PDB file of all heavy atoms in Angstrom:
ATOM      1  N   ASN A 421       6.570  12.873   5.379  1.00 97.00           N
ATOM      2  CA  ASN A 421       6.756  11.516   4.866  1.00 97.00           C
ATOM      3  C   ASN A 421       6.793  10.491   6.012  1.00 97.00           C
ATOM      4  O   ASN A 421       6.051   9.500   6.006  1.00 97.00           O
ATOM      5  CB  ASN A 421       8.063  11.483   4.070  1.00 97.00           C
ATOM      6  CG  ASN A 421       8.241  10.197   3.291  1.00 97.00           C
ATOM      7  OD1 ASN A 421       7.840   9.124   3.752  1.00 97.00           O
ATOM      8  ND2 ASN A 421       8.852  10.282   2.106  1.00 97.00           N
ATOM      9  N   ALA A 422       7.621  10.769   7.008  1.00 98.00           N
ATOM     10  CA  ALA A 422       7.777   9.804   8.108  1.00 98.00           C
ATOM     11  C   ALA A 422       6.465   9.667   8.909  1.00 98.00           C
ATOM     12  O   ALA A 422       6.147   8.575   9.384  1.00 98.00           O
ATOM     13  CB  ALA A 422       8.910  10.259   9.026  1.00 98.00           C
ATOM     14  N   MET A 423       5.751  10.766   9.038  1.00 98.00           N
ATOM     15  CA  MET A 423       4.487  10.706   9.783  1.00 98.00           C
ATOM     16  C   MET A 423       3.464   9.848   9.040  1.00 98.00           C
ATOM     17  O   MET A 423       2.756   9.036   9.655  1.00 98.00           O
ATOM     18  CB  MET A 423       3.935  12.117   9.974  1.00 98.00           C
ATOM     19  CG  MET A 423       2.629  12.147  10.749  1.00 98.00           C
ATOM     20  SD  MET A 423       1.767  13.678  10.475  1.00 98.00           S
ATOM     21  CE  MET A 423       1.437  13.591   8.730  1.00 98.00           C
ATOM     22  N   LEU A 424       3.398  10.002   7.727  1.00 98.00           N
ATOM     23  CA  LEU A 424       2.439   9.211   6.948  1.00 98.00           C
ATOM     24  C   LEU A 424       2.782   7.729   7.012  1.00 98.00           C
ATOM     25  O   LEU A 424       1.911   6.864   7.039  1.00 98.00           O
ATOM     26  CB  LEU A 424       2.389   9.696   5.505  1.00 98.00           C
ATOM     27  CG  LEU A 424       1.845  11.115   5.335  1.00 98.00           C
ATOM     28  CD1 LEU A 424       1.800  11.519   3.871  1.00 98.00           C
ATOM     29  CD2 LEU A 424       0.461  11.247   5.953  1.00 98.00           C
ATOM     30  N   ARG A 425       4.081   7.432   7.077  1.00 98.00           N
ATOM     31  CA  ARG A 425       4.497   6.026   7.222  1.00 98.00           C
ATOM     32  C   ARG A 425       4.050   5.469   8.583  1.00 98.00           C
ATOM     33  O   ARG A 425       3.685   4.295   8.684  1.00 98.00           O
ATOM     34  CB  ARG A 425       6.014   5.890   7.057  1.00 98.00           C
ATOM     35  CG  ARG A 425       6.399   5.998   5.593  1.00 98.00           C
ATOM     36  CD  ARG A 425       7.901   6.055   5.353  1.00 98.00           C
ATOM     37  NE  ARG A 425       8.133   6.634   4.028  1.00 98.00           N
ATOM     38  CZ  ARG A 425       8.044   5.942   2.880  1.00 98.00           C
ATOM     39  NH1 ARG A 425       7.751   4.664   2.905  1.00 98.00           N
ATOM     40  NH2 ARG A 425       8.242   6.540   1.730  1.00 98.00           N
ATOM     41  N   ALA A 426       4.064   6.327   9.590  1.00 98.00           N
ATOM     42  CA  ALA A 426       3.597   5.888  10.909  1.00 98.00           C
ATOM     43  C   ALA A 426       2.094   5.581  10.860  1.00 98.00           C
ATOM     44  O   ALA A 426       1.634   4.567  11.378  1.00 98.00           O
ATOM     45  CB  ALA A 426       3.897   6.954  11.961  1.00 98.00           C
ATOM     46  N   VAL A 427       1.358   6.484  10.213  1.00 98.00           N
ATOM     47  CA  VAL A 427      -0.089   6.283  10.094  1.00 98.00           C
ATOM     48  C   VAL A 427      -0.383   4.995   9.336  1.00 98.00           C
ATOM     49  O   VAL A 427      -1.262   4.222   9.708  1.00 98.00           O
ATOM     50  CB  VAL A 427      -0.736   7.503   9.387  1.00 98.00           C
ATOM     51  CG1 VAL A 427      -2.194   7.219   9.010  1.00 98.00           C
ATOM     52  CG2 VAL A 427      -0.649   8.746  10.273  1.00 98.00           C
ATOM     53  N   GLU A 428       0.407   4.753   8.280  1.00 97.00           N
ATOM     54  CA  GLU A 428       0.225   3.537   7.481  1.00 97.00           C
ATOM     55  C   GLU A 428       0.526   2.297   8.325  1.00 97.00           C
ATOM     56  O   GLU A 428      -0.231   1.320   8.339  1.00 97.00           O
ATOM     57  CB  GLU A 428       1.138   3.592   6.263  1.00 97.00           C
ATOM     58  CG  GLU A 428       0.934   2.396   5.335  1.00 97.00           C
ATOM     59  CD  GLU A 428       2.001   2.325   4.245  1.00 97.00           C
ATOM     60  OE1 GLU A 428       3.170   2.690   4.538  1.00 97.00           O
ATOM     61  OE2 GLU A 428       1.679   1.884   3.122  1.00 97.00           O
ATOM     62  N   ARG A 429       1.649   2.355   9.044  1.00 97.00           N
ATOM     63  CA  ARG A 429       2.065   1.201   9.842  1.00 97.00           C
ATOM     64  C   ARG A 429       1.027   0.870  10.914  1.00 97.00           C
ATOM     65  O   ARG A 429       0.743  -0.288  11.207  1.00 97.00           O
ATOM     66  CB  ARG A 429       3.425   1.462  10.491  1.00 97.00           C
ATOM     67  CG  ARG A 429       4.044   0.207  11.095  1.00 97.00           C
ATOM     68  CD  ARG A 429       5.283   0.502  11.929  1.00 97.00           C
ATOM     69  NE  ARG A 429       6.378   1.045  11.161  1.00 97.00           N
ATOM     70  CZ  ARG A 429       7.516   1.501  11.724  1.00 97.00           C
ATOM     71  NH1 ARG A 429       7.651   1.490  13.042  1.00 97.00           N
ATOM     72  NH2 ARG A 429       8.468   1.987  10.982  1.00 97.00           N
ATOM     73  N   LEU A 430       0.428   1.918  11.482  1.00 98.00           N
ATOM     74  CA  LEU A 430      -0.573   1.701  12.542  1.00 98.00           C
ATOM     75  C   LEU A 430      -1.916   1.252  11.967  1.00 98.00           C
ATOM     76  O   LEU A 430      -2.797   0.812  12.695  1.00 98.00           O
ATOM     77  CB  LEU A 430      -0.761   2.979  13.367  1.00 98.00           C
ATOM     78  CG  LEU A 430       0.435   3.408  14.224  1.00 98.00           C
ATOM     79  CD1 LEU A 430       0.180   4.784  14.820  1.00 98.00           C
ATOM     80  CD2 LEU A 430       0.698   2.378  15.320  1.00 98.00           C
ATOM     81  N   GLY A 431      -2.069   1.397  10.651  1.00 97.00           N
ATOM     82  CA  GLY A 431      -3.314   0.977  10.015  1.00 97.00           C
ATOM     83  C   GLY A 431      -4.513   1.828  10.422  1.00 97.00           C
ATOM     84  O   GLY A 431      -5.640   1.335  10.517  1.00 97.00           O
ATOM     85  N   LEU A 432      -4.258   3.128  10.645  1.00 97.00           N
ATOM     86  CA  LEU A 432      -5.345   4.007  11.075  1.00 97.00           C
ATOM     87  C   LEU A 432      -6.279   4.309   9.912  1.00 97.00           C
ATOM     88  O   LEU A 432      -5.852   4.424   8.759  1.00 97.00           O
ATOM     89  CB  LEU A 432      -4.785   5.316  11.639  1.00 97.00           C
ATOM     90  CG  LEU A 432      -3.869   5.189  12.850  1.00 97.00           C
ATOM     91  CD1 LEU A 432      -3.376   6.573  13.267  1.00 97.00           C
ATOM     92  CD2 LEU A 432      -4.590   4.534  14.020  1.00 97.00           C
ATOM     93  N   ASN A 433      -7.553   4.492  10.235  1.00 96.00           N
ATOM     94  CA  ASN A 433      -8.543   4.902   9.244  1.00 96.00           C
ATOM     95  C   ASN A 433      -8.451   6.416   9.079  1.00 96.00           C
ATOM     96  O   ASN A 433      -8.450   7.164  10.059  1.00 96.00           O
ATOM     97  CB  ASN A 433      -9.933   4.494   9.754  1.00 96.00           C
ATOM     98  CG  ASN A 433     -11.022   4.814   8.750  1.00 96.00           C
ATOM     99  OD1 ASN A 433     -10.878   5.717   7.927  1.00 96.00           O
ATOM    100  ND2 ASN A 433     -12.114   4.079   8.833  1.00 96.00           N
ATOM    101  N   LYS A 434      -8.403   6.867   7.821  1.00 96.00           N
ATOM    102  CA  LYS A 434      -8.271   8.301   7.560  1.00 96.00           C
ATOM    103  C   LYS A 434      -9.396   9.116   8.206  1.00 96.00           C
ATOM    104  O   LYS A 434      -9.199  10.247   8.626  1.00 96.00           O
ATOM    105  CB  LYS A 434      -8.268   8.562   6.045  1.00 96.00           C
ATOM    106  CG  LYS A 434      -7.020   8.043   5.361  1.00 96.00           C
ATOM    107  CD  LYS A 434      -6.893   8.625   3.968  1.00 96.00           C
ATOM    108  CE  LYS A 434      -7.780   7.912   2.967  1.00 96.00           C
ATOM    109  NZ  LYS A 434      -7.508   8.374   1.580  1.00 96.00           N
ATOM    110  N   ASN A 435     -10.576   8.517   8.274  1.00 97.00           N
ATOM    111  CA  ASN A 435     -11.725   9.232   8.845  1.00 97.00           C
ATOM    112  C   ASN A 435     -11.592   9.420  10.354  1.00 97.00           C
ATOM    113  O   ASN A 435     -12.341  10.190  10.953  1.00 97.00           O
ATOM    114  CB  ASN A 435     -13.025   8.475   8.569  1.00 97.00           C
ATOM    115  CG  ASN A 435     -13.508   8.705   7.153  1.00 97.00           C
ATOM    116  OD1 ASN A 435     -12.997   9.587   6.462  1.00 97.00           O
ATOM    117  ND2 ASN A 435     -14.485   7.921   6.730  1.00 97.00           N
ATOM    118  N   ASP A 436     -10.662   8.683  10.964  1.00 98.00           N
ATOM    119  CA  ASP A 436     -10.512   8.772  12.424  1.00 98.00           C
ATOM    120  C   ASP A 436      -9.386   9.695  12.851  1.00 98.00           C
ATOM    121  O   ASP A 436      -9.066   9.798  14.033  1.00 98.00           O
ATOM    122  CB  ASP A 436     -10.246   7.376  13.019  1.00 98.00           C
ATOM    123  CG  ASP A 436     -11.416   6.437  12.813  1.00 98.00           C
ATOM    124  OD1 ASP A 436     -12.547   6.946  12.655  1.00 98.00           O
ATOM    125  OD2 ASP A 436     -11.210   5.209  12.786  1.00 98.00           O
ATOM    126  N   ILE A 437      -8.743  10.341  11.871  1.00 98.00           N
ATOM    127  CA  ILE A 437      -7.614  11.215  12.186  1.00 98.00           C
ATOM    128  C   ILE A 437      -7.984  12.669  11.972  1.00 98.00           C
ATOM    129  O   ILE A 437      -8.492  13.033  10.913  1.00 98.00           O
ATOM    130  CB  ILE A 437      -6.383  10.881  11.329  1.00 98.00           C
ATOM    131  CG1 ILE A 437      -6.028   9.386  11.458  1.00 98.00           C
ATOM    132  CG2 ILE A 437      -5.189  11.749  11.725  1.00 98.00           C
ATOM    133  CD1 ILE A 437      -4.936   8.957  10.514  1.00 98.00           C
ATOM    134  N   VAL A 438      -7.759  13.467  12.977  1.00 98.00           N
ATOM    135  CA  VAL A 438      -7.922  14.915  12.839  1.00 98.00           C
ATOM    136  C   VAL A 438      -6.549  15.539  13.050  1.00 98.00           C
ATOM    137  O   VAL A 438      -5.897  15.304  14.064  1.00 98.00           O
ATOM    138  CB  VAL A 438      -8.911  15.494  13.861  1.00 98.00           C
ATOM    139  CG1 VAL A 438      -9.012  17.008  13.700  1.00 98.00           C
ATOM    140  CG2 VAL A 438     -10.283  14.854  13.697  1.00 98.00           C
ATOM    141  N   MET A 439      -6.091  16.293  12.053  1.00 98.00           N
ATOM    142  CA  MET A 439      -4.824  16.993  12.213  1.00 98.00           C
ATOM    143  C   MET A 439      -5.137  18.474  12.428  1.00 98.00           C
ATOM    144  O   MET A 439      -5.828  19.098  11.625  1.00 98.00           O
ATOM    145  CB  MET A 439      -3.933  16.810  10.988  1.00 98.00           C
ATOM    146  CG  MET A 439      -2.599  17.528  11.159  1.00 98.00           C
ATOM    147  SD  MET A 439      -1.489  17.246   9.798  1.00 98.00           S
ATOM    148  CE  MET A 439      -0.913  15.594  10.213  1.00 98.00           C
ATOM    149  N   VAL A 440      -4.626  19.011  13.525  1.00 98.00           N
ATOM    150  CA  VAL A 440      -4.851  20.418  13.855  1.00 98.00           C
ATOM    151  C   VAL A 440      -3.506  21.115  13.869  1.00 98.00           C
ATOM    152  O   VAL A 440      -2.578  20.656  14.534  1.00 98.00           O
ATOM    153  CB  VAL A 440      -5.535  20.579  15.228  1.00 98.00           C
ATOM    154  CG1 VAL A 440      -5.882  22.037  15.484  1.00 98.00           C
ATOM    155  CG2 VAL A 440      -6.780  19.714  15.339  1.00 98.00           C
ATOM    156  N   SER A 441      -3.389  22.210  13.130  1.00 98.00           N
ATOM    157  CA  SER A 441      -2.108  22.915  13.109  1.00 98.00           C
ATOM    158  C   SER A 441      -2.350  24.406  13.342  1.00 98.00           C
ATOM    159  O   SER A 441      -3.486  24.879  13.309  1.00 98.00           O
ATOM    160  CB  SER A 441      -1.386  22.687  11.780  1.00 98.00           C
ATOM    161  OG  SER A 441      -2.128  23.224  10.708  1.00 98.00           O
ATOM    162  N   GLY A 442      -1.259  25.129  13.583  1.00 97.00           N
ATOM    163  CA  GLY A 442      -1.370  26.557  13.865  1.00 97.00           C
ATOM    164  C   GLY A 442      -0.947  27.369  12.647  1.00 97.00           C
ATOM    165  O   GLY A 442      -1.485  27.182  11.563  1.00 97.00           O
TER     166      GLY A 442
END
Side-chain angles (χ1 to χ4, degrees):
Chain A
N421 190 324
M423 180 199 64
L424 294 181
R425 284 172 201 279
V427 169
E428 183 190 35
R429 192 189 295 173
L430 292 172
L432 300 179
N433 183 334
K434 291 195 281 187
N435 281 349
D436 296 335
I437 305 173
V438 178
M439 181 176 282
V440 186
S441 64

